[in-house]
Amino acid sequence: MGMGIGDWGLGIGDWGLGPIPNPQSPIPNPQSPFENLLKFQLIKIIELIKKIIHIIKVFYLITG
């Protein structure tokens, strides 16, 4: 078979999760504030693009 007990064939290695945070660290996740800010900014950019698209659709609807 080639698969060991508990091996689901998913492979081993880096799944892109980054370094494992140290549970003894006083900072729960040092990258968390930056990641939260980045996610917030991306959400705001997406909302702005949606608003611009809506304005363009309304403009074309009015001017026909």
Side-chain angles (χ1 to χ4, degrees):
M1 287 291 207
M3 296 176 68
I5 298 174
D7 183 8
W8 293 18
L10 299 175
I12 47 177
D14 185 16
W15 286 42
L17 300 176
I20 299 171
N22 182 2
Q24 301 296 324
S25 173
I27 303 171
N29 186 356
Q31 295 176 347
S32 182
F34 174 74
E35 290 174 359
N36 290 341
L37 181 62
L38 181 63
K39 287 177 187 178
F40 178 76
Q41 288 178 344
L42 288 175
I43 290 170
K44 290 300 179 184
I45 289 171
I46 291 170
E47 288 177 359
L48 177 64
I49 291 171
K50 286 180 180 180
K51 287 179 182 179
I52 291 171
I53 290 171
H54 179 72
I55 290 169
I56 291 171
K57 286 180 181 179
V58 169
F59 176 75
Y60 279 116
L61 183 65
I62 290 173
T63 60

